[in-house]
């Protein structure tokens, strides 16, 4: 993806029913992988969303994903993440209060801020923003060197990918466990 700025907006869901209604409205704007394949098809601001295990439970998704690390969360697994403790963690990340994250990416922070305002207005009191983290490409001749090298262990970790599809009047979250080493088949959970 050729975007210069990205913002991660970590949130807590206050009202699952109202949140799902807003998510249904936002869904057509969520950026697909196909859109990201070519610069010419990328939106001005790319939008994506991911949920923690507690976030999915808050939305009524109770399917077992057979991933105990995902279910227990990063706070419970801090030691295995090579953290010596959680005293230096941003307070919002302690415990299981974070239900999800919106990822917004664009060429300007102004475009992101405009989209973020629209999202926060749409979701209103059904969610609260807990923490915002901004990233951008490095300046000058360091641009393009933002990612870890393939030799780093972080490149081998598993990630959860949530893609939303509208099927009639219901929503299906396709959850696939992916790894650079061995991709797995998608699993479905109904909202």
């Amino acid at each position: 993806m050729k975007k210069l700025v990205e913002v991660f907006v970590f949130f807590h869901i206050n009202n699952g029913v109202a949140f799902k209604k807003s998510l249904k409205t936002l869904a057509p704007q969520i950026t697909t992988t196909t859109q990201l394949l070519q610069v010419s098809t990328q939106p001005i601001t790319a939008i994506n969303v991911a949920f923690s295990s507690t976030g999915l439970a808050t939305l009524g998704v109770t399917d077992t994903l057979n991933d105990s690390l995902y279910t227990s969360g990063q706070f419970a697994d801090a030691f295995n993440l090579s953290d010596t403790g959680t005293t230096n963690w941003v307070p919002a990340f302690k415990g299981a209060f974070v239900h999800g994250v919106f990822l917004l990416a664009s060429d300007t922070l102004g475009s992101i801020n405009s989209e973020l305002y629209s999202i926060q207005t749409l979701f209103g009191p059904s969610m609260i923003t807990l923490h915002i983290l901004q990233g951008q490409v490095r300046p000058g001749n360091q641009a393009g060197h933002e990612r870890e090298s393939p030799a780093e262990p972080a490149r081998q970790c598993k990630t959860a990918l949530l893609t939303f599809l509208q099927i009639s009047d219901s929503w299906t979250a396709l959850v696939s466990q992916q790894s650079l080493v061995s991709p797995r088949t998608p699993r479905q959970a109904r909202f």
Side-chain angles (χ1 to χ4, degrees), residues 128-167:
I128 57 172
T129 299
L130 300 174
H131 185 73
I132 297 177
L133 180 65
Q134 178 186 334
Q136 60 193 28
V137 297
R138 291 180 177 180
N141 66 359
Q142 292 299 309
H145 299 281
E146 291 79 24
R147 302 180 196 272
E148 304 98 7
S149 91
E152 292 185 47
R155 301 283 292 170
Q156 300 299 320
C157 71
K158 294 179 182 176
T159 60
L161 171 66
L162 293 168
T163 306
F164 292 90
L165 301 173
Q166 185 173 7
I167 300 175

mmCIF file of all heavy atoms in Angstrom, residues 128-167:
data_model
loop_
_atom_site.group_PDB
_atom_site.id
_atom_site.type_symbol
_atom_site.label_atom_id
_atom_site.label_comp_id
_atom_site.label_asym_id
_atom_site.label_seq_id
_atom_site.Cartn_x
_atom_site.Cartn_y
_atom_site.Cartn_z
ATOM 1 N N ILE A 128 -15.987 4.176 22.558
ATOM 2 C CA ILE A 128 -15.120 5.270 23.001
ATOM 3 C C ILE A 128 -13.714 4.997 22.472
ATOM 4 O O ILE A 128 -13.280 3.850 22.371
ATOM 5 C CB ILE A 128 -15.083 5.444 24.534
ATOM 6 C CG1 ILE A 128 -14.647 4.160 25.236
ATOM 7 C CG2 ILE A 128 -16.401 5.928 25.066
ATOM 8 C CD1 ILE A 128 -14.399 4.342 26.728
ATOM 9 N N THR A 129 -13.034 6.066 22.109
ATOM 10 C CA THR A 129 -11.646 5.962 21.649
ATOM 11 C C THR A 129 -10.747 5.913 22.881
ATOM 12 O O THR A 129 -10.819 6.779 23.746
ATOM 13 C CB THR A 129 -11.281 7.166 20.757
ATOM 14 O OG1 THR A 129 -12.137 7.159 19.614
ATOM 15 C CG2 THR A 129 -9.829 7.089 20.312
ATOM 16 N N LEU A 130 -9.897 4.895 22.946
ATOM 17 C CA LEU A 130 -9.011 4.704 24.086
ATOM 18 C C LEU A 130 -7.614 5.251 23.850
ATOM 19 O O LEU A 130 -6.981 5.784 24.755
ATOM 20 C CB LEU A 130 -8.896 3.213 24.422
ATOM 21 C CG LEU A 130 -10.181 2.494 24.788
ATOM 22 C CD1 LEU A 130 -9.919 1.000 24.935
ATOM 23 C CD2 LEU A 130 -10.746 3.070 26.079
ATOM 24 N N HIS A 131 -7.124 5.071 22.622
ATOM 25 C CA HIS A 131 -5.741 5.452 22.332
ATOM 26 C C HIS A 131 -5.585 5.613 20.823
ATOM 27 O O HIS A 131 -6.154 4.836 20.060
ATOM 28 C CB HIS A 131 -4.778 4.378 22.848
ATOM 29 C CG HIS A 131 -3.331 4.727 22.709
ATOM 30 N ND1 HIS A 131 -2.721 5.663 23.505
ATOM 31 C CD2 HIS A 131 -2.380 4.270 21.870
ATOM 32 C CE1 HIS A 131 -1.445 5.764 23.158
ATOM 33 N NE2 HIS A 131 -1.215 4.922 22.172
ATOM 34 N N ILE A 132 -4.826 6.604 20.419
ATOM 35 C CA ILE A 132 -4.536 6.819 19.000
ATOM 36 C C ILE A 132 -3.029 6.798 18.811
ATOM 37 O O ILE A 132 -2.293 7.475 19.530
ATOM 38 C CB ILE A 132 -5.127 8.158 18.500
ATOM 39 C CG1 ILE A 132 -6.655 8.124 18.606
ATOM 40 C CG2 ILE A 132 -4.689 8.434 17.062
ATOM 41 C CD1 ILE A 132 -7.343 9.415 18.216
ATOM 42 N N LEU A 133 -2.590 6.021 17.854
ATOM 43 C CA LEU A 133 -1.166 5.894 17.544
ATOM 44 C C LEU A 133 -0.967 6.259 16.087
ATOM 45 O O LEU A 133 -1.626 5.711 15.207
ATOM 46 C CB LEU A 133 -0.711 4.447 17.798
ATOM 47 C CG LEU A 133 0.743 4.113 17.532
ATOM 48 C CD1 LEU A 133 1.651 4.872 18.483
ATOM 49 C CD2 LEU A 133 0.964 2.614 17.671
ATOM 50 N N GLN A 134 -0.068 7.206 15.827
ATOM 51 C CA GLN A 134 0.177 7.664 14.461
ATOM 52 C C GLN A 134 1.529 7.179 13.974
ATOM 53 O O GLN A 134 2.506 7.171 14.718
ATOM 54 C CB GLN A 134 0.142 9.195 14.400
ATOM 55 C CG GLN A 134 0.428 9.739 13.014
ATOM 56 C CD GLN A 134 0.528 11.264 12.999
ATOM 57 O OE1 GLN A 134 -0.040 11.936 13.832
ATOM 58 N NE2 GLN A 134 1.279 11.778 12.042
ATOM 59 N N GLY A 135 1.581 6.792 12.706
ATOM 60 C CA GLY A 135 2.835 6.409 12.074
ATOM 61 C C GLY A 135 2.941 7.083 10.725
ATOM 62 O O GLY A 135 1.943 7.511 10.142
ATOM 63 N N GLN A 136 4.153 7.207 10.234
ATOM 64 C CA GLN A 136 4.367 7.797 8.913
ATOM 65 C C GLN A 136 5.691 7.302 8.354
ATOM 66 O O GLN A 136 6.522 6.773 9.086
ATOM 67 C CB GLN A 136 4.357 9.318 8.983
ATOM 68 C CG GLN A 136 5.425 9.909 9.883
ATOM 69 C CD GLN A 136 5.170 11.376 10.165
ATOM 70 O OE1 GLN A 136 4.043 11.826 10.151
ATOM 71 N NE2 GLN A 136 6.217 12.115 10.441
ATOM 72 N N VAL A 137 5.859 7.455 7.053
ATOM 73 C CA VAL A 137 7.111 7.014 6.441
ATOM 74 C C VAL A 137 8.258 7.879 6.967
ATOM 75 O O VAL A 137 8.054 9.019 7.382
ATOM 76 C CB VAL A 137 7.062 7.077 4.898
ATOM 77 C CG1 VAL A 137 6.021 6.137 4.358
ATOM 78 C CG2 VAL A 137 6.844 8.481 4.403
ATOM 79 N N ARG A 138 9.418 7.313 6.932
ATOM 80 C CA ARG A 138 10.599 8.068 7.376
ATOM 81 C C ARG A 138 10.904 9.174 6.371
ATOM 82 O O ARG A 138 10.664 9.024 5.173
ATOM 83 C CB ARG A 138 11.797 7.131 7.498
ATOM 84 C CG ARG A 138 11.653 6.151 8.621
ATOM 85 C CD ARG A 138 12.857 5.260 8.695
ATOM 86 N NE ARG A 138 12.758 4.354 9.815
ATOM 87 C CZ ARG A 138 13.668 3.466 10.110
ATOM 88 N NH1 ARG A 138 14.756 3.334 9.373
ATOM 89 N NH2 ARG A 138 13.515 2.673 11.146
ATOM 90 N N PRO A 139 11.490 10.263 6.834
ATOM 91 C CA PRO A 139 11.789 11.372 5.926
ATOM 92 C C PRO A 139 13.032 11.111 5.061
ATOM 93 O O PRO A 139 13.884 10.296 5.391
ATOM 94 C CB PRO A 139 12.032 12.543 6.882
ATOM 95 C CG PRO A 139 12.498 11.912 8.155
ATOM 96 C CD PRO A 139 11.799 10.576 8.232
ATOM 97 N N GLY A 140 13.091 11.821 3.952
ATOM 98 C CA GLY A 140 14.281 11.840 3.094
ATOM 99 C C GLY A 140 14.709 10.487 2.592
ATOM 100 O O GLY A 140 13.897 9.657 2.196
ATOM 101 N N ASN A 141 16.027 10.244 2.655
ATOM 102 C CA ASN A 141 16.573 9.013 2.095
ATOM 103 C C ASN A 141 16.281 7.776 2.952
ATOM 104 O O ASN A 141 16.622 6.669 2.566
ATOM 105 C CB ASN A 141 18.080 9.149 1.844
ATOM 106 C CG ASN A 141 18.882 9.314 3.122
ATOM 107 O OD1 ASN A 141 18.323 9.355 4.218
ATOM 108 N ND2 ASN A 141 20.187 9.425 2.974
ATOM 109 N N GLN A 142 15.643 7.952 4.099
ATOM 110 C CA GLN A 142 15.251 6.821 4.945
ATOM 111 C C GLN A 142 13.862 6.278 4.573
ATOM 112 O O GLN A 142 13.444 5.245 5.061
ATOM 113 C CB GLN A 142 15.276 7.223 6.416
ATOM 114 C CG GLN A 142 16.673 7.492 6.938
ATOM 115 C CD GLN A 142 17.549 6.260 6.836
ATOM 116 O OE1 GLN A 142 17.178 5.182 7.285
ATOM 117 N NE2 GLN A 142 18.718 6.404 6.224
ATOM 118 N N ALA A 143 13.143 6.998 3.683
ATOM 119 C CA ALA A 143 11.812 6.560 3.254
ATOM 120 C C ALA A 143 11.896 5.175 2.625
ATOM 121 O O ALA A 143 12.830 4.884 1.871
ATOM 122 C CB ALA A 143 11.218 7.553 2.263
ATOM 123 N N GLY A 144 10.946 4.326 2.966
ATOM 124 C CA GLY A 144 10.937 2.971 2.424
ATOM 125 C C GLY A 144 11.630 1.951 3.298
ATOM 126 O O GLY A 144 11.644 0.770 2.995
ATOM 127 N N HIS A 145 12.218 2.398 4.407
ATOM 128 C CA HIS A 145 12.927 1.484 5.309
ATOM 129 C C HIS A 145 12.180 1.337 6.635
ATOM 130 O O HIS A 145 12.791 1.177 7.681
ATOM 131 C CB HIS A 145 14.355 1.988 5.576
ATOM 132 C CG HIS A 145 15.185 2.070 4.348
ATOM 133 N ND1 HIS A 145 15.776 0.970 3.779
ATOM 134 C CD2 HIS A 145 15.495 3.121 3.548
ATOM 135 C CE1 HIS A 145 16.433 1.342 2.690
ATOM 136 N NE2 HIS A 145 16.280 2.637 2.520
ATOM 137 N N GLU A 146 10.844 1.375 6.582
ATOM 138 C CA GLU A 146 10.043 1.352 7.793
ATOM 139 C C GLU A 146 9.817 -0.047 8.353
ATOM 140 O O GLU A 146 9.603 -0.210 9.532
ATOM 141 C CB GLU A 146 8.665 1.998 7.545
ATOM 142 C CG GLU A 146 8.713 3.480 7.305
ATOM 143 C CD GLU A 146 9.145 3.850 5.890
ATOM 144 O OE1 GLU A 146 8.988 3.028 4.974
ATOM 145 O OE2 GLU A 146 9.655 4.960 5.723
ATOM 146 N N ARG A 147 9.834 -1.059 7.528
ATOM 147 C CA ARG A 147 9.504 -2.415 7.961
ATOM 148 C C ARG A 147 10.736 -3.165 8.440
ATOM 149 O O ARG A 147 11.854 -2.856 8.060
ATOM 150 C CB ARG A 147 8.837 -3.173 6.826
ATOM 151 C CG ARG A 147 7.586 -2.490 6.346
ATOM 152 C CD ARG A 147 6.971 -3.292 5.219
ATOM 153 N NE ARG A 147 6.007 -2.503 4.504
ATOM 154 C CZ ARG A 147 4.734 -2.399 4.805
ATOM 155 N NH1 ARG A 147 4.264 -3.044 5.827
ATOM 156 N NH2 ARG A 147 3.917 -1.660 4.105
ATOM 157 N N GLU A 148 10.469 -4.223 9.254
ATOM 158 C CA GLU A 148 11.572 -5.052 9.725
ATOM 159 C C GLU A 148 12.142 -5.850 8.561
ATOM 160 O O GLU A 148 11.482 -6.079 7.576
ATOM 161 C CB GLU A 148 11.075 -6.072 10.780
ATOM 162 C CG GLU A 148 10.385 -5.472 11.954
ATOM 163 C CD GLU A 148 8.866 -5.522 11.815
ATOM 164 O OE1 GLU A 148 8.347 -6.145 10.865
ATOM 165 O OE2 GLU A 148 8.212 -4.909 12.646
ATOM 166 N N SER A 149 13.362 -6.307 8.732
ATOM 167 C CA SER A 149 13.946 -7.151 7.692
ATOM 168 C C SER A 149 13.327 -8.541 7.786
ATOM 169 O O SER A 149 12.884 -8.958 8.850
ATOM 170 C CB SER A 149 15.462 -7.231 7.877
ATOM 171 O OG SER A 149 15.805 -8.328 8.680
ATOM 172 N N PRO A 150 13.294 -9.299 6.678
ATOM 173 C CA PRO A 150 12.699 -10.640 6.700
ATOM 174 C C PRO A 150 13.360 -11.576 7.694
ATOM 175 O O PRO A 150 12.783 -12.565 8.087
ATOM 176 C CB PRO A 150 12.897 -11.143 5.273
ATOM 177 C CG PRO A 150 13.061 -9.915 4.448
ATOM 178 C CD PRO A 150 13.712 -8.899 5.349
ATOM 179 N N ALA A 151 14.585 -11.265 8.117
ATOM 180 C CA ALA A 151 15.273 -12.139 9.051
ATOM 181 C C ALA A 151 14.745 -11.997 10.473
ATOM 182 O O ALA A 151 14.976 -12.856 11.318
ATOM 183 C CB ALA A 151 16.770 -11.828 9.034
ATOM 184 N N GLU A 152 14.031 -10.918 10.768
ATOM 185 C CA GLU A 152 13.551 -10.703 12.125
ATOM 186 C C GLU A 152 12.392 -11.633 12.448
ATOM 187 O O GLU A 152 11.520 -11.860 11.611
ATOM 188 C CB GLU A 152 13.131 -9.246 12.307
ATOM 189 C CG GLU A 152 14.319 -8.302 12.244
ATOM 190 C CD GLU A 152 13.909 -6.891 12.554
ATOM 191 O OE1 GLU A 152 13.190 -6.679 13.536
ATOM 192 O OE2 GLU A 152 14.314 -5.996 11.808
ATOM 193 N N PRO A 153 12.347 -12.144 13.680
ATOM 194 C CA PRO A 153 11.274 -13.070 14.069
ATOM 195 C C PRO A 153 9.880 -12.478 13.916
ATOM 196 O O PRO A 153 8.926 -13.209 13.685
ATOM 197 C CB PRO A 153 11.579 -13.361 15.533
ATOM 198 C CG PRO A 153 13.007 -13.012 15.715
ATOM 199 C CD PRO A 153 13.327 -11.952 14.719
ATOM 200 N N ALA A 154 9.738 -11.166 14.036
ATOM 201 C CA ALA A 154 8.417 -10.543 13.931
ATOM 202 C C ALA A 154 7.766 -10.835 12.585
ATOM 203 O O ALA A 154 6.549 -10.860 12.475
ATOM 204 C CB ALA A 154 8.521 -9.038 14.139
ATOM 205 N N ARG A 155 8.557 -11.071 11.562
ATOM 206 C CA ARG A 155 8.010 -11.358 10.232
ATOM 207 C C ARG A 155 7.365 -12.740 10.179
ATOM 208 O O ARG A 155 6.645 -13.043 9.251
ATOM 209 C CB ARG A 155 9.103 -11.256 9.172
ATOM 210 C CG ARG A 155 9.769 -9.903 9.090
ATOM 211 C CD ARG A 155 8.912 -8.912 8.386
ATOM 212 N NE ARG A 155 8.828 -9.305 6.983
ATOM 213 C CZ ARG A 155 8.012 -8.758 6.127
ATOM 214 N NH1 ARG A 155 7.192 -7.832 6.499
ATOM 215 N NH2 ARG A 155 7.997 -9.156 4.880
ATOM 216 N N GLN A 156 7.660 -13.603 11.141
ATOM 217 C CA GLN A 156 7.146 -14.965 11.126
ATOM 218 C C GLN A 156 5.897 -15.132 11.989
ATOM 219 O O GLN A 156 5.353 -16.218 12.067
ATOM 220 C CB GLN A 156 8.228 -15.933 11.618
ATOM 221 C CG GLN A 156 9.486 -15.925 10.771
ATOM 222 C CD GLN A 156 9.220 -16.339 9.342
ATOM 223 O OE1 GLN A 156 8.450 -17.236 9.091
ATOM 224 N NE2 GLN A 156 9.849 -15.667 8.397
ATOM 225 N N CYS A 157 5.442 -14.073 12.647
ATOM 226 C CA CYS A 157 4.307 -14.219 13.563
ATOM 227 C C CYS A 157 2.999 -14.396 12.808
ATOM 228 O O CYS A 157 2.863 -13.992 11.662
ATOM 229 C CB CYS A 157 4.233 -13.048 14.523
ATOM 230 S SG CYS A 157 3.723 -11.515 13.748
ATOM 231 N N LYS A 158 2.021 -14.970 13.475
ATOM 232 C CA LYS A 158 0.694 -15.170 12.898
ATOM 233 C C LYS A 158 -0.125 -13.901 13.090
ATOM 234 O O LYS A 158 0.028 -13.194 14.073
ATOM 235 C CB LYS A 158 -0.007 -16.335 13.583
ATOM 236 C CG LYS A 158 0.653 -17.659 13.331
ATOM 237 C CD LYS A 158 -0.070 -18.745 14.062
ATOM 238 C CE LYS A 158 0.636 -20.066 13.846
ATOM 239 N NZ LYS A 158 0.030 -21.128 14.605
ATOM 240 N N THR A 159 -0.986 -13.619 12.150
ATOM 241 C CA THR A 159 -1.860 -12.460 12.270
ATOM 242 C C THR A 159 -3.293 -12.882 12.001
ATOM 243 O O THR A 159 -3.549 -13.827 11.281
ATOM 244 C CB THR A 159 -1.465 -11.353 11.269
ATOM 245 O OG1 THR A 159 -1.571 -11.885 9.956
ATOM 246 C CG2 THR A 159 -0.064 -10.836 11.512
ATOM 247 N N ALA A 160 -4.214 -12.166 12.612
ATOM 248 C CA ALA A 160 -5.635 -12.431 12.364
ATOM 249 C C ALA A 160 -6.142 -11.381 11.390
ATOM 250 O O ALA A 160 -5.918 -10.193 11.571
ATOM 251 C CB ALA A 160 -6.411 -12.370 13.662
ATOM 252 N N LEU A 161 -6.775 -11.809 10.350
ATOM 253 C CA LEU A 161 -7.300 -10.914 9.328
ATOM 254 C C LEU A 161 -8.817 -10.997 9.350
ATOM 255 O O LEU A 161 -9.387 -12.068 9.248
ATOM 256 C CB LEU A 161 -6.775 -11.337 7.955
ATOM 257 C CG LEU A 161 -7.366 -10.648 6.733
ATOM 258 C CD1 LEU A 161 -6.970 -9.174 6.731
ATOM 259 C CD2 LEU A 161 -6.875 -11.325 5.474
ATOM 260 N N LEU A 162 -9.466 -9.861 9.528
ATOM 261 C CA LEU A 162 -10.929 -9.828 9.545
ATOM 262 C C LEU A 162 -11.411 -9.071 8.324
ATOM 263 O O LEU A 162 -11.068 -7.927 8.115
ATOM 264 C CB LEU A 162 -11.426 -9.129 10.811
ATOM 265 C CG LEU A 162 -11.142 -9.848 12.100
ATOM 266 C CD1 LEU A 162 -11.417 -8.927 13.277
ATOM 267 C CD2 LEU A 162 -11.979 -11.094 12.201
ATOM 268 N N THR A 163 -12.178 -9.708 7.500
ATOM 269 C CA THR A 163 -12.754 -9.086 6.324
ATOM 270 C C THR A 163 -14.260 -9.230 6.426
ATOM 271 O O THR A 163 -14.751 -10.291 6.742
ATOM 272 C CB THR A 163 -12.268 -9.774 5.044
ATOM 273 O OG1 THR A 163 -10.848 -9.784 5.047
ATOM 274 C CG2 THR A 163 -12.768 -9.045 3.814
ATOM 275 N N PHE A 164 -14.976 -8.160 6.191
ATOM 276 C CA PHE A 164 -16.417 -8.199 6.344
ATOM 277 C C PHE A 164 -17.105 -8.254 4.994
ATOM 278 O O PHE A 164 -16.791 -7.516 4.092
ATOM 279 C CB PHE A 164 -16.889 -6.976 7.125
ATOM 280 C CG PHE A 164 -16.438 -7.028 8.526
ATOM 281 C CD1 PHE A 164 -15.234 -6.483 8.900
ATOM 282 C CD2 PHE A 164 -17.192 -7.690 9.475
ATOM 283 C CE1 PHE A 164 -14.790 -6.571 10.191
ATOM 284 C CE2 PHE A 164 -16.757 -7.783 10.768
ATOM 285 C CZ PHE A 164 -15.552 -7.227 11.138
ATOM 286 N N LEU A 165 -18.044 -9.149 4.867
ATOM 287 C CA LEU A 165 -18.824 -9.310 3.659
ATOM 288 C C LEU A 165 -20.298 -9.224 4.032
ATOM 289 O O LEU A 165 -20.710 -9.749 5.055
ATOM 290 C CB LEU A 165 -18.566 -10.686 3.035
ATOM 291 C CG LEU A 165 -17.130 -11.007 2.647
ATOM 292 C CD1 LEU A 165 -17.030 -12.456 2.207
ATOM 293 C CD2 LEU A 165 -16.684 -10.090 1.521
ATOM 294 N N GLN A 166 -21.080 -8.569 3.204
ATOM 295 C CA GLN A 166 -22.514 -8.533 3.450
ATOM 296 C C GLN A 166 -23.152 -9.711 2.723
ATOM 297 O O GLN A 166 -22.951 -9.895 1.534
ATOM 298 C CB GLN A 166 -23.122 -7.234 2.948
ATOM 299 C CG GLN A 166 -24.579 -7.118 3.283
ATOM 300 C CD GLN A 166 -25.139 -5.760 2.934
ATOM 301 O OE1 GLN A 166 -24.473 -4.949 2.324
ATOM 302 N NE2 GLN A 166 -26.374 -5.536 3.317
ATOM 303 N N ILE A 167 -23.873 -10.513 3.444
ATOM 304 C CA ILE A 167 -24.601 -11.637 2.877
ATOM 305 C C ILE A 167 -26.056 -11.442 3.278
ATOM 306 O O ILE A 167 -26.404 -11.570 4.441
ATOM 307 C CB ILE A 167 -24.062 -12.979 3.396
ATOM 308 C CG1 ILE A 167 -22.598 -13.126 3.025
ATOM 309 C CG2 ILE A 167 -24.894 -14.135 2.881
ATOM 310 C CD1 ILE A 167 -21.927 -14.348 3.586
#
